[in-house]
Amino acid sequence: MGYPVVRGYCLLPGFTLANPCGIGVTSCAVAPIVSRIPEIQTREMESMIKVNSGQIAVMGGLIQDSNTDNEDTIPGLFQLPSVGAIFGNRNRENRKTELVIFIRPMVVRDPSIDGDFRAFRDLSPDANFMSRPNPGKPLEGNPLR
């Protein structure tokens, strides 16, 4: 099964890591990435940037506005002229949030425990940890390669 890939980018419409073959595709040879972290809110952006290794890229502009208007009153008494306002409470809230993403890519030239990962040697579970095969190695025909 071939995937349209140009310079490492998948050209299928709706391609995401959760839907590697595109949205609406029912049979796919590539398994989606499933997260065990509960999803509370999702905000997406797509951008193409050119950054050298070790430089920080800032991606932002996901702005969200929310307005709430809550009114708590005692029925009937709130409608009384001139004194009705003391029998109720009104709370208005306007909130603006912006999501800014900072990315610092690092090019790995020597992917070994003696190369670029030598600073993490003390964090590995045992001496043979880096010599075992990678369980997350991409499958043949994977659009992520």
Side-chain angles (χ1 to χ4, degrees), residues 3-11 142-145:
Y3 299 97
V5 177
V6 174
R7 294 184 184 170
Y9 297 100
C10 181
L11 300 179
N142 188 336
L144 298 176
R145 63 181 157 95

Side-chain angles (χ1 to χ4, degrees), residues 86-139:
I86 63 172
F87 297 105
N89 180 30
R90 179 176 239 171
N91 184 14
R92 293 180 181 161
E93 181 181 4
N94 298 323
R95 180 179 295 179
K96 180 179 264 192
T97 60
E98 181 176 9
L99 176 64
V100 180
I101 302 168
F102 294 85
I103 298 176
R104 183 176 160 205
M106 300 293 291
V107 175
V108 176
R109 290 182 174 82
D110 183 6
S112 70
I113 197 70
D114 296 321
D116 290 345
F117 296 125
R118 66 182 161 273
F120 303 106
R121 185 183 320 218
D122 297 336
L123 302 175
S124 64
D126 57 37
N128 298 326
F129 180 73
M130 294 299 275
S131 62
R132 284 182 278 208
N134 183 0
K137 186 176 180 182
L139 301 172

Side-chain angles (χ1 to χ4, degrees), residues 16-88:
T16 64
L17 294 176
N19 299 304
C21 293
I23 296 172
V25 177
T26 56
S27 62
C28 180
V30 180
I33 294 176
V34 179
S35 174
R36 290 183 277 191
I37 300 171
E39 188 174 300
I40 297 170
Q41 182 181 22
T42 302
R43 296 167 76 185
E44 296 181 10
M45 70 182 301
E46 185 174 321
S47 181
M48 187 178 294
I49 57 175
K50 184 176 181 180
V51 182
N52 290 328
S53 178
Q55 288 184 330
I56 297 174
V58 180
M59 299 184 340
L62 290 175
I63 297 175
Q64 181 178 15
D65 291 325
S66 64
N67 301 317
T68 57
D69 188 7
N70 296 324
E71 189 175 275
D72 298 322
T73 64
I74 298 175
L77 295 178
F78 187 70
Q79 283 80 24
L80 293 174
S82 70
V83 293
I86 63 172
F87 297 105

